[in-house]
Amino acid sequence: MKVNGWKQLMDLDKRLRSALRKEGFSFDEKPFNAHITLARKARINLDVLKNWPERKYKLIVNEITLFHSTRVNGVLTYLPVYRAGFNDNDNE
């Protein structure tokens, strides 16, 4: 699901990448693409998606997690590296 209008997320991405580079970490340099993964390897009729109603949702984010994606026994696995919480004032 595509995410629009989250300037704070883009700013966070820039700060995070800068800090990771400074500490010598390597990571995927692809441009940040804010999204929510709803399913992986889903099988769905594309005609159903063409008529899917567009809805807007407002989400309050209380915490973010930095994941390391790696393969474990051939399976793509996301391992949590760091979690950070937000106070109520940061979500407005």
Side-chain angles (χ1 to χ4, degrees), residues 10-66:
M10 299 304 288
D11 292 344
L12 179 61
D13 172 64
K14 288 178 188 174
R15 291 191 344 244
L16 178 60
R17 287 175 187 248
S18 176
L20 288 171
R21 278 188 201 96
K22 185 177 178 180
E23 294 296 323
F25 287 95
S26 63
F27 54 90
D28 191 339
E29 293 283 350
K30 288 188 293 191
F32 178 64
N33 177 24
H35 69 282
I36 298 170
T37 302
L38 301 174
R40 286 203 182 274
K41 297 183 181 181
R43 293 187 181 112
I44 189 167
N45 183 323
L46 292 179
D47 290 330
V48 171
L49 291 180
K50 289 178 187 174
N51 297 316
W52 199 267
E54 183 175 326
R55 294 188 180 144
K56 295 187 179 190
Y57 298 93
K58 181 178 179 178
L59 302 174
I60 296 174
V61 177
N62 297 315
E63 178 182 90
I64 62 168
T65 304
L66 176 64

